[in-house]
Amino acid sequence: MTVEDVGLAAERTRLAWRRTALGLAAGGVAGGRLLQDVVGPVSWVLGLAGLVGAGLVLLAAGRRRGWLLATRRGERPGGQLVGVCAVGVTLLGVAALAVVVAHGTA
């Protein structure tokens, strides 16, 4: 077996990260559009943050091949991507909630 032959599990993982990035991008654009009527142009800052997050997820997922090769060599590469994504999405949600609440009380 060659180093590049990592099986279908790696392909499924790569596709899952692409779906995650697509969801972040779609959520950012949808959030920006839906919140525009409520809070105005500030909503597009949150939308842009979703798009930037999607790009970062794609970049980090692209590095996965290096992680797979390192695992084959017996090294244990860092697995921070899931945690960073969870924190980023949580922060975006809290920011969106804060914008809506602040607008509702004004």
Side-chain angles (χ1 to χ4, degrees), residues 5 8-9 13 19 27 33 44 60 62 76 91 96 100:
D5 183 20
L8 292 177
T13 301
R19 284 191 306 271
R33 175 62 189 106
W44 288 106
R76 293 195 50 110
L91 290 175
V100 170

Side-chain angles (χ1 to χ4, degrees), residues 30-41 43-44 46 96-97 99-100:
R33 175 62 189 106
L34 293 173
L35 289 173
Q36 185 177 12
D37 297 335
V38 178
V39 295
S43 66
W44 288 106
L46 295 175
L97 181 63
V99 167
V100 170

Side-chain angles (χ1 to χ4, degrees), residues 1-77:
M1 181 165 34
T2 65
V3 175
E4 288 78 30
D5 183 20
V6 292
L8 292 177
E11 179 70 13
R12 286 191 302 269
T13 301
R14 186 175 60 86
L15 292 172
W17 281 113
R18 284 186 175 182
R19 284 191 306 271
T20 300
L22 182 61
L24 279 172
V29 170
R33 175 62 189 106
L34 293 173
L35 289 173
Q36 185 177 12
D37 297 335
V38 178
V39 295
V42 174
S43 66
W44 288 106
V45 172
L46 295 175
L48 182 62
L51 289 174
V52 168
L56 292 175
V57 166
L58 281 176
L59 287 174
R63 297 182 59 206
R64 178 133 178 94
R65 182 176 184 277
W67 297 337
L68 290 171
L69 294 175
T71 302
R72 291 277 179 154
R73 290 190 304 262
E75 299 171 9
R76 293 195 50 110

